[in-house]
């Protein structure tokens, strides 16, 4: 709720959204579902939105049926919506609904339009919205336009490709003869347009205009016209492609959008500084190199396993870390250094464990300490003496 002028602040008011005709699977029993029961006595102070989801259908609306039972939080926000180019009025009134389920790839934005109500002396008016209520005390509405996505976030490898899912549906009577699409990227306080498309809904190819500001970005115009699919593909991903993508669809006076997080990941290349570790009479340094990874948060730990034991132990001193080095492609390199003491037993297995978001499981790289070589000083000296005597 918010005032339209005078700098009034927005306020939050509890409301209920009732979705009727939600598709139920063939194995689903209606007995397991709790139907909505309106108040026995209509209350004009309650905000109850009621609408059917069958036309246009809300994709994957069935996910909402058991979300609460599965302890998945349903996020629902409803706000008054004023179509562009039209003055705000109460006949009909419009509302924007944002629906998502935490932990599930379900997100949609709906534009609701109020339905006419036959008024008589018993008709109640909602006290805050000043709109007539049905006999059961609900605000009767219909979905006229929606934009949806079946992913909230996606991870993709550096230099790989990705498809950012977005689609739209509208009521059977078209809201406008053409559709406009815009994809934007927001990252660290900065925004830029990635792709823009305008096309006629009557399949007139020459009327399609596409402007891509990012090389390798594309939308299939044929799928847009046939299915309302406005998903965008990106090829040859770079670190700078990471961020929040906003898919905005415009139909005449109406527009709605979806937000998708794209994370770029690149697993590290891990190596040890030595291919062979021979114990010496003095301490020596062994390094674990973690190279060309993204994002930044890589962790390295050292373990050792003496030949007489079965469980590895954490190094009491994890040594030192080099400073992060960032490469031209945005990836990072980091090294960890540990000291190998002469007191280590030959046959001890030394392991560097690396964890990183791009790795499903930690990565291990190991080396086995070998015994020190016998001192060959007297053998070399003896060889030199014999040689001198021979030529004397």
């Amino acid at each position: 709720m918010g005032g339209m002028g005078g700098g009034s602040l927005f306020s939050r008011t509890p409301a209920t959204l009732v979705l009727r005709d939600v598709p139920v699977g063939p194995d689903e029993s209606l007995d397991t579902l709790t139907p909505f029961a309106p108040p026995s006595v209509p209350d004009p102070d309650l905000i109850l939105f009621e609408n059917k989801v069958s036309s246009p259908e809300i994709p994957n609306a069935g996910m909402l049926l058991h979300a609460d039972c599965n302890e998945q939080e349903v996020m629902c926000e409803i706000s008054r919506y004023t179509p562009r180019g039209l003055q705000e009025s109460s006949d009909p009134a419009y509302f924007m609904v944002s629906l998502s389920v935490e932990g599930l790839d379900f997100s949609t934005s709906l534009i609701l339009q109020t339905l006419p109500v036959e008024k008589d002396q018993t008709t109640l008016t909602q006290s805050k919205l000043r709109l007539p209520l049905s006999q059961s005390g609900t605000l009767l509405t219909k979905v006229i336009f929606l934009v949806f996505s079946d992913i909230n976030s996606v991870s993709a490898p550096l230099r790989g490709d990705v498809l950012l899912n977005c689609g739209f549906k509208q009521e059977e009577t078209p809201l406008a003869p053409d559709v406009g699409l815009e994809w934007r990227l927001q990252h660290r306080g900065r925004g830029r347009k990635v792709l823009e498309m305008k096309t006629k809904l009557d399949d007139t190819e020459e009327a399609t205009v596409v402007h891509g500001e990012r090389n390798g970005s594309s939308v299939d115009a044929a799928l847009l016209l046939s299915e309302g699919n406005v998903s965008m593909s990106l090829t040859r991903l770079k670190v700078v492609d990471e961020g929040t993508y906003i898919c905005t669809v415009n139909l005449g006076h109406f527009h709605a959008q979806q937000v998708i997080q794209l994370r770029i990941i690149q697993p590290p290349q891990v190596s040890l500084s030595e291919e062979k570790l021979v114990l010496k009479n003095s301490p020596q340094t062994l390094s674990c190199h973690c190279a060309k990874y993204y994002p930044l948060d890589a962790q390295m730990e050292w373990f050792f396993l003496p030949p007489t034991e079965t469980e590895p132990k954490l190094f009491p001193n994890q040594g030192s870390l080099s400073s992060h080095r960032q490469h031209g492609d945005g990836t990072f390199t980091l090294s960890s250094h540990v000291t190998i003491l002469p007191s280590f037993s030959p046959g001890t297995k030394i392991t560097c464990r690396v964890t990183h978001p791009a790795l499903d499981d930690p990565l291990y790289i190991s080396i086995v300490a070998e015994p020190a070589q016998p001192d060959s000083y007297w053998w070399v000296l003896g060889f030199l003496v014999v040689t001198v005597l021979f030529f004397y």
Side-chain angles (χ1 to χ4, degrees):
M1 305 292 295
M4 296 303 296
S8 298
L9 297 176
F10 283 88
S11 61
R12 301 176 71 88
T13 301
T16 298
L17 176 65
V18 181
L19 301 178
R20 297 199 179 276
D21 295 344
V22 175
V24 176
D27 299 330
E28 184 82 61
S29 173
L30 294 179
D31 295 335
T32 65
L33 304 176
T34 303
F36 170 74
S40 56
V41 178
D43 186 348
D45 292 330
L46 295 178
I47 303 179
L48 303 174
F49 291 90
E50 178 183 352
N51 75 90
K52 295 183 178 181
V53 302
S54 54
S55 181
E57 180 181 348
I58 300 176
N60 301 318
M63 290 184 177
L64 300 169
L65 292 175
H66 300 290
D68 287 340
C69 298
N70 295 329
E71 297 183 353
Q72 295 159 332
E73 185 176 0
V74 179
M75 305 298 294
C76 179
E77 292 187 353
I78 306 175
S79 58
R80 197 69 178 257
Y81 180 84
T82 302
R84 291 178 300 184
L86 298 180
Q87 293 183 351
E88 184 181 16
S89 64
S90 59
D91 190 21
Y94 297 93
F95 295 87
M96 172 72 76
V97 180
S98 297
L99 270 177
S100 63
V101 181
E102 185 177 0
L104 294 180
D105 286 328
F106 173 85
S107 180
T108 184
S109 296
L110 315 172
I111 293 183
L112 307 183
Q113 176 183 302
T114 56
L115 296 174
V117 174
E118 294 185 5
K119 300 179 181 179
D120 55 31
Q121 295 179 350
T122 63
T123 301
L124 298 176
T125 299
Q126 210 290 319
S127 58
K128 292 182 180 295
L129 301 176
R130 306 299 181 188
L131 296 174
L133 300 176
S134 67
Q135 293 298 318
S136 58
T138 63
L139 287 164
L140 297 178
T141 64
K142 66 175 181 177
V143 178
I144 62 172
F145 178 47
L146 65 96
V147 177
F148 64 93
S149 177
D150 61 10
I151 56 172
N152 296 322
S153 64
V154 60
S155 298
L158 187 67
R159 291 178 289 275
D161 303 336
V162 71
L163 181 68
L164 303 180
N165 180 272
C166 187
F168 73 94
K169 292 178 179 291
Q170 62 174 324
E171 60 180 354
E172 294 180 359
T173 303
L175 298 175
D178 50 19
V179 59
L181 169 68
E182 181 183 81
W183 279 93
R184 294 189 65 86
L185 169 61
Q186 297 283 343
H187 188 53
R188 295 179 179 176
R190 296 183 178 181
R192 60 184 173 90
K193 185 185 300 182
V194 179
L195 182 143
E196 185 177 19
M197 173 183 287
K198 294 182 179 180
T199 186
K200 295 289 185 182
L201 291 174
D202 58 3
D203 200 11
T204 306
E205 293 185 2
E206 59 270 17
T208 300
V209 178
V210 182
H211 178 61
E213 297 192 9
R214 192 269 193 196
N215 291 333
S217 62
S218 62
V219 172
D220 192 324
L223 289 179
L224 183 153
L225 295 171
S226 62
E227 304 175 10
N229 188 335
V230 293
S231 302
M232 179 177 65
S233 62
L234 298 173
T235 61
R236 301 287 301 171
L237 289 172
K238 302 177 181 179
V239 169
V240 294
D241 292 317
E242 184 177 68
T244 302
Y245 284 81
I246 304 172
C247 168
T248 304
V249 182
N250 298 279
L251 278 174
H253 300 293
F254 303 93
H255 75 280
Q257 61 188 26
Q258 284 294 294
V259 176
I260 302 169
Q261 300 288 336
L262 172 61
R263 297 180 177 88
I264 303 298
I265 57 173
Q266 181 66 23
Q269 303 169 11
V270 181
S271 63
L272 294 176
S273 59
E274 307 293 337
E275 296 183 359
K276 185 177 182 180
L277 179 63
V278 179
L279 294 174
K280 297 180 180 180
N281 293 327
S282 59
Q284 56 184 313
T285 299
L286 180 64
S287 301
C288 183
H289 303 300
C290 192
K292 305 287 285 185
Y293 61 87
Y294 189 87
L296 183 63
D297 45 347
Q299 293 183 344
M300 288 183 281
E301 292 179 297
W302 289 97
F303 297 84
F304 69 99
L305 177 64
T308 57
E309 300 186 22
T310 58
E311 292 294 329
K313 300 179 180 179
L314 191 67
F315 262 76
N317 183 357
Q318 287 292 305
S320 60
L321 290 174
S322 67
S323 58
H324 283 96
R325 175 187 173 192
Q326 188 169 20
H327 303 278
D329 61 358
T331 59
F332 298 93
T333 291
L334 180 67
S335 296
S336 177
H337 313 287
V338 71
T339 300
I340 308 300
L341 299 174
S343 58
F344 270 76
S345 302
T348 298
K349 184 179 181 181
I350 300 170
T351 301
C352 174
R353 182 177 72 178
V354 176
T355 56
H356 186 263
L359 299 171
D360 294 331
D361 298 300
L363 192 153
Y364 297 84
I365 185 168
S366 302
I367 193 171
V368 177
E370 300 181 11
Q373 297 293 335
D375 195 343
S376 57
Y377 172 77
W378 291 109
W379 180 86
V380 174
L381 180 58
F383 174 79
L384 292 175
V385 172
V386 172
T387 303
V388 171
L389 292 175
F390 180 81
F391 287 101
Y392 179 71

